[in-house]
Amino acid sequence: MRFLVRRLLALGGVLIASSMIVFGGLYLAPGSPEQFLVQGRTVSPEVLAAIRSQYSLDDPLPVRYWNWLSGLFTGDMGRSLLTQQDVGTLIASRIPTTLSLAAFAAVLIIVAGIGLGILAGTRGGVAERIVIFASNLGIAVPTFFAALVLMWVFSVGLGWFPVFGAGDGVVDRVWHLTLPASALSLPSIAVVARITRTAIVEESESEHVLIAVARGLPKRITVWRHTVRNSLLPVTTAVGMQIAGLIAGAFVVEYAFTLDGIGALLVNSVQRKDFAVVQAIALIMVVAFGIVNLVVDLLYAVIDPRVSLKKGQ
């Protein structure tokens, strides 16, 4: 419990510091909300003053930050400068697509990444060389290029999957998101497979595994109870970091497959200097990253209770 409280307090501190950076960083960027609203037209000083008053732009930056932060706690993320829609409503309509895409990609990372790593680490030989070659290829291929190749082969060539839209219903959504999730998860699968394979090879040469082999324990027990299980700590960290970066990296895939997720919304909002939307999405990404890291730390403590004892001291 003490370990959990410490991690929650640390997460709270990170979120507060991140919110300051997100809020203040946008105001340091070239351009301003009133310049976007007037669209280069010549307006009178009275109109400009009215715009600044409407969006509280004359208030000191700390006051604007406090108003924005307190609004978040009440569910008020402000209004979009571009569409005048409520930012919370705008983002809520896009989140299901991004979460579905990220969740699908996370499943692929866990199943394919760890599975291939275990296969390479425990079998060796041809299987190991194939996994190493495929993981090198997966790390080297950019996500956008992988998306184009998958579309060309499986959509244009074979006609198995659609190239746009997120689908309706569970089955239709899985069908529509198979190629985007594959493209998004491909580099992460390669990284996790390499780390899993390396961890298993190193663990198989450790003293307690060699003793287990010398005692004549069945290979199945030696592999799964003594090798794979003890290799999970570095693998858990790698998986957590890769999953945490999925939402931030989803915008490339959403653009390639014309998905209406928050990644595509973020790109459009940055291009049009829609401050309120950019601030809200950036903070959501930071929160998601922090929560995933917290879950990884808790899994660490579950896999190896000595971790929580050391950090709880």
Side-chain angles (χ1 to χ4, degrees):
M1 181 57 72
R2 187 178 178 186
F3 172 69
L4 176 61
V5 172
R6 281 176 176 268
R7 291 295 298 121
L8 289 174
L9 290 176
L11 176 60
V14 169
L15 293 182
I16 291 175
S18 301
S19 68
M20 293 179 179
I21 295 173
V22 167
F23 186 84
L26 284 177
Y27 283 95
L28 296 177
S32 62
E34 65 266 29
Q35 289 176 348
F36 165 74
L37 289 169
V38 299
Q39 296 289 319
R41 292 168 296 186
T42 302
V43 297
S44 65
E46 291 77 13
V47 173
L48 202 58
I51 292 175
R52 295 188 64 83
S53 175
Q54 180 180 353
Y55 291 96
S56 303
L57 297 178
D58 291 323
D59 291 338
L61 191 60
V63 175
R64 276 182 276 164
Y65 168 73
W66 174 251
N67 292 336
W68 174 71
L69 188 65
S70 57
L72 292 179
F73 284 105
T74 61
D76 181 12
M77 296 183 177
R79 303 191 73 80
S80 166
L81 296 178
L82 182 64
T83 64
Q84 294 301 310
Q85 285 182 279
D86 179 73
V87 173
T89 304
L90 193 60
I91 292 177
S93 65
R94 302 293 193 103
I95 276 186
T97 298
T98 300
L99 286 183
S100 300
L101 175 62
F104 197 167
V107 172
L108 293 178
I109 292 171
I110 294 171
V111 174
I114 296 179
L116 290 174
I118 292 176
L119 177 67
T122 57
R123 294 294 179 88
V126 177
E128 183 178 23
R129 287 194 289 273
I130 291 175
V131 171
I132 292 175
F133 174 77
S135 61
N136 287 335
L137 190 63
I139 293 173
V141 174
T143 301
F144 190 76
F145 182 74
L148 293 178
V149 172
L150 290 174
M151 280 193 287
W152 180 61
V153 174
F154 294 102
S155 294
V156 179
L158 300 174
W160 289 356
F161 299 99
V163 294
F164 58 85
D168 298 317
V170 176
V171 176
D172 193 42
R173 176 152 292 197
V174 169
W175 182 47
H176 276 77
L177 294 182
T178 296
L179 291 187
S182 300
L184 179 61
S185 62
L186 186 61
S188 299
I189 289 174
V191 171
V192 171
R194 288 293 297 267
I195 293 175
T196 304
R197 175 253 172 197
T198 302
I200 288 177
V201 170
E202 291 178 351
E203 193 64 32
S204 65
E205 297 172 352
S206 63
E207 185 177 351
H208 72 277
V209 173
L210 295 178
I211 292 175
V213 174
R215 289 171 55 195
L217 290 179
K219 184 177 179 181
R220 178 174 56 83
I221 295 178
T222 304
V223 169
W224 291 103
R225 183 178 298 176
H226 295 281
T227 305
V228 175
R229 182 178 179 182
N230 291 329
S231 305
L232 289 180
L233 280 178
V235 175
T236 302
T237 303
V239 171
M241 296 301 293
Q242 298 300 322
I243 292 177
L246 285 179
I247 293 180
F251 73 93
V252 175
V253 173
E254 290 180 1
Y255 236 69
F257 288 92
T258 59
L259 299 175
D260 56 345
I262 61 173
L265 178 62
L266 175 63
V267 174
N268 285 326
S269 301
V270 170
Q271 291 174 340
R272 301 180 181 185
K273 298 186 183 303
D274 201 344
F275 282 55
V277 177
V278 175
Q279 288 169 338
I281 294 178
L283 191 61
I284 288 173
M285 290 180 173
V286 172
V287 171
F289 196 87
I291 291 175
V292 172
N293 275 319
L294 175 63
V295 172
V296 170
D297 280 352
L298 296 179
L299 285 176
Y300 245 83
V302 172
I303 296 171
D304 187 355
R306 293 172 298 177
V307 174
S308 61
L309 291 176
K310 289 178 181 177
K311 293 188 176 182
Q313 289 174 353

